[in-house]
Amino acid sequence: MKKWKEIPLYFKIFIMMILGGIIGAVVGESITAVTFLGDVYIELLKMLVVPLVFFSIVCGVTKLADPKEFGRLGGTVILYYMITTVMAAFFGVLLALTVSPGKNAEGILGMAEEITYTEYSLSSTILSWIPSNIVKSMANMDMIPVIVFAILFGLCLVMIGEKNKSMVAFFEAGNEAMLKMTGLIAEISPYGIFFLAAKLMGTIGSKMLVVGLKFALADYCGLLAMLLVGYPLLLKLIGKVSPFQFYRNVYPAMIVAAGTCSSNATLPVSMKCAGERIGCEEKLYAFSLPLGATVNMDGFSIALGIIAVTALQIYGVPMTPMTVLKAVFMGLILSIGAPGVKGTAVVMSAVLFEALGLPMGMLPLIGAIWPLVDIGHTTVNITSDLVGTTLVGCKLGLVNRKIFDSDKK
């Protein structure tokens, strides 16, 4: 038992997913007699969705929107993070539509309750995001209006200045409590995933394995598109620097990111690369990199776009401009608001499914495949932070070009 506790959570999830799949395949449909325990895990995740998102976004806005703290430099960095996150979400959606991970697997998890979409209208879409009754939106787990209200509420807290101290402290404490609850529920993820995987294999079979492989393929194609196309174009066209030289400068941070799967653990190496290999001034990278490790998650945004399309295909929901727009919007908001704790992928995916009106049946697949794809996600996240720091530094004259272009050992 002591050795089991020392195993990383993602590896525990992977082990229990494999065991659950094997047991489910051997026992067959009779496994459903005990898989209600997996449903308990799903209900616990649903319990987290509204308060976790609400508290985390309000806290995030109160930290990011202070004009005295950020000014021109901070505004430029935040704008970059928002643009690349949206770009990443679009990459994820487009690649998922191309690879179609859920194709030929329609209905294997059941069909979603009928979701009716009126003829697409930008004005009606925007109106649907404005909560006429925030309590009702929270009760119905209508996530986009909840997110919009949280953003506006956080901005208003910033605008009232010193009077916000008690409220900000309340939301910070609430956010810490929700992160703690998320961590506790994440600790039981391996066992919840075990029962869900057993049910999947006992009642569905090997089709989900094909879905998982296609999901991973689409995910890595999206990550490579950002690394080999998106970021080089930004560096060349906006920063006027060599993308090849940039990657020579930052590869130590990319290696550490891939090895640790942790943006925070990679942060010291990223800051060292920014200062000593890129030539950024400390006042820039000391702000942009810690902020990026918290809110800039391009890799996760790509994955959310792919998860959305895959789930919509599996549940037989037609793709419309409205669903695509929702997927991209949720990729932006959830990647910014994602808490930096283990189990985030499953929790945020649950939020995404609620926003799209979908069941939670895909969560065990996401939990199982995440250790494989999260290597690429963290690498892209860290790279994006360093790209943004370099671009802002070049535009504001805060990068020493001699250091940037020098040969590195």
Side-chain angles (χ1 to χ4, degrees):
M1 184 60 69
K2 184 178 179 180
K3 289 184 178 180
W4 175 252
K5 289 182 179 179
E6 294 174 353
I7 298 175
L9 181 62
Y10 282 162
F11 195 49
K12 288 182 185 177
I13 291 174
F14 182 74
I15 293 172
M16 296 302 285
M17 178 265 181
I18 296 297
L19 289 175
I22 293 172
I23 291 173
V26 171
V27 175
E29 292 191 9
S30 59
I31 194 69
T32 55
V34 295
T35 52
F36 74 93
L37 293 171
D39 297 330
V40 171
Y41 171 64
I42 294 295
E43 292 303 311
L44 288 171
L45 287 177
K46 289 170 120 178
M47 178 185 71
L48 288 173
V49 170
V50 171
L52 176 65
V53 170
F54 185 66
F55 277 106
S56 65
I57 289 179
V58 171
C59 286
V61 172
T62 58
K63 291 175 182 175
L64 300 181
D66 185 355
K68 295 180 181 178
E69 182 178 359
F70 294 108
R72 183 186 175 197
L73 185 151
T76 307
V77 171
I78 293 169
L79 179 63
Y80 163 82
Y81 287 158
M82 292 182 65
I83 290 172
T84 57
T85 300
V86 171
M87 183 191 306
F90 267 116
F91 269 139
V93 170
L94 292 175
L95 280 161
L97 290 172
T98 302
V99 176
S100 295
K103 189 176 181 180
N104 300 323
E106 296 88 347
I108 63 173
L109 296 177
M111 301 298 286
E113 294 181 9
E114 186 176 354
I115 301 173
T116 57
Y117 296 103
T118 57
E119 185 177 349
Y120 177 72
S121 165
L122 180 60
S123 59
S124 62
T125 299
I126 293 173
L127 283 173
S128 71
W129 292 352
I130 300 173
S132 58
N133 185 333
I134 187 58
V135 176
K136 181 179 177 182
S137 296
M138 288 180 171
N140 294 334
M141 298 185 78
D142 193 359
M143 293 312 300
I144 292 183
V146 172
I147 290 168
V148 170
F149 180 81
I151 293 171
L152 291 174
F153 190 81
L155 288 172
C156 290
L157 282 178
V158 172
M159 292 170 68
I160 64 175
E162 293 294 318
K163 295 178 182 179
N164 71 8
K165 285 185 177 180
S166 60
M167 285 294 291
V168 169
F170 167 78
F171 276 97
E172 287 179 348
N175 190 46
E176 287 297 321
M178 290 312 304
L179 291 178
K180 184 66 175 178
M181 189 181 296
T182 301
L184 292 175
I185 293 176
E187 287 298 320
I188 68 170
S189 292
Y191 315 106
I193 294 293
F194 169 83
F195 288 106
L196 291 170
K199 182 178 179 180
L200 279 175
M201 291 303 295
T203 58
I204 296 167
S206 60
K207 280 190 176 180
M208 285 302 289
L209 296 178
V210 177
V211 174
L213 290 174
K214 292 169 74 174
F215 175 91
L217 173 63
D219 199 319
Y220 270 102
C221 285
L223 297 172
L224 288 172
M226 288 298 290
L227 288 173
L228 302 180
V229 179
Y231 297 144
L233 283 175
L234 292 173
L235 289 164
K236 192 68 177 177
L237 298 178
I238 298 176
K240 309 297 183 184
V241 296
S242 165
F244 178 76
Q245 183 64 33
F246 170 82
Y247 281 118
R248 286 185 63 189
N249 291 341
V250 305
Y251 81 86
M254 295 175 70
I255 291 173
V256 174
T260 63
C261 290
S262 170
S263 296
N264 290 326
T266 311
L267 188 57
V269 182
S270 298
M271 296 179 78
K272 191 176 181 68
C273 286
E276 298 180 6
R277 299 175 71 87
I278 295 176
C280 289
E281 292 189 17
E282 185 177 0
K283 67 179 181 181
L284 170 59
Y285 69 76
F287 160 74
S288 64
L289 293 180
L291 177 65
T294 303
V295 305
N296 186 41
M297 300 185 182
D298 290 355
F300 189 45
S301 186
I302 289 172
L304 287 171
I306 296 170
I307 289 168
V309 172
T310 304
L312 290 167
Q313 290 175 339
I314 287 176
Y315 288 111
V317 179
M319 295 294 298
T320 67
M322 185 180 292
T323 56
V324 172
L325 191 60
K326 270 192 173 184
V328 172
F329 178 80
M330 294 303 293
L332 170 64
I333 297 299
L334 294 182
S335 62
I336 291 175
V341 297
K342 299 294 185 183
T344 291
V346 176
V347 174
M348 291 295 103
S349 297
V351 178
L352 177 65
F353 293 152
E354 284 292 342
L356 297 175
L358 297 174
M360 302 287 180
M362 237 186 81
L363 292 180
L365 175 67
I366 295 167
I369 205 71
W370 207 255
L372 174 64
V373 295
D374 202 36
I375 297 170
H377 296 158
T378 309
T379 304
V380 167
N381 293 343
I382 285 297
T383 304
S384 179
D385 297 345
L386 288 163
V387 169
T389 300
T390 302
L391 293 179
V392 174
C394 289
K395 297 301 288 185
L396 301 182
L398 301 176
V399 170
N400 186 322
R401 293 297 184 98
K402 290 183 179 180
I403 295 176
F404 183 94
D405 294 325
S406 64
D407 291 334
K408 308 293 190 309
K409 294 183 180 180

